[in-house]
Amino acid sequence: MAVERTLSIIKPDAVAKNVVGQIIARFENAGLQVVAAKMVHLSQEQAEGFYAEHKERPFFGDLVAFMTSGPVVVQVLEGENAILTNRDLMGATNPKEAAEGTIRRDFAESIDANAVHGSDSAASAEREVAYFFNADEICPRG
Ligand code: IDP
């Protein structure tokens, strides 16, 4: 297994519920390290750019409205197999289908307000990390 980086976003619903620390603890307990982090209230333009691949999907407008509805916490997670490890911790997109013990099962209400985002491939991780962070904002701890 290789050490990877992945982009995680704690979405507005989870920030509003005040479970940021509980979610980050799950990453840490699974062996991932937070190597960059910031809280941002995304603009419409930032959210549309981030989710550009979903532009033609019927839920795109709702997704952008939700992601700009309140602040989010954006992080880079680093660790062995970080991309898949994070996706496993998150659970299925629809919290009703997410496995027990996953973040979405425990903290999310609906497919729209589903607590977390995580990069789904090496290519998207690279694009998404660069979308939010300059190289000098990432602090690997070695
Ligand atoms: P993922 O976040 O599990 O990778 P994607 O299919 O990449 O899921 O979709 C991105 C986000 O768009 C989801 O996290 C969810 O918030 C939203 N979304 C996906 N499918 C639907 C849908 O059918 N209705 C409403 N929102 C959706």
Side-chain angles (χ1 to χ4, degrees), residues 11-13 51 54 57-60 62-64 66-67 90-98 104-105 107-117:
K11 294 186 178 184
D13 57 319
Y51 281 115
H54 293 307
R57 308 279 285 274
F59 57 81
F60 183 70
D62 287 344
L63 175 60
V64 169
F66 170 64
M67 290 301 289
M90 290 164 56
T93 307
N94 185 346
K96 292 180 179 65
E97 291 163 10
R104 284 170 165 166
R105 174 68 170 259
F107 299 116
E109 303 304 328
S110 67
I111 195 165
D112 309 85
N114 62 1
V116 279
H117 167 85

Side-chain angles (χ1 to χ4, degrees), residues 86-138:
N86 182 40
R87 295 290 302 186
D88 287 346
L89 292 169
M90 290 164 56
T93 307
N94 185 346
K96 292 180 179 65
E97 291 163 10
E100 270 184 46
T102 60
I103 293 169
R104 284 170 165 166
R105 174 68 170 259
D106 291 344
F107 299 116
E109 303 304 328
S110 67
I111 195 165
D112 309 85
N114 62 1
V116 279
H117 167 85
S119 308
D120 63 3
S121 67
S124 56
E126 192 173 346
R127 181 187 84 82
E128 292 176 359
V129 167
Y131 192 84
F132 283 109
F133 295 97
N134 296 318
D136 65 359
E137 294 175 302
I138 300 173

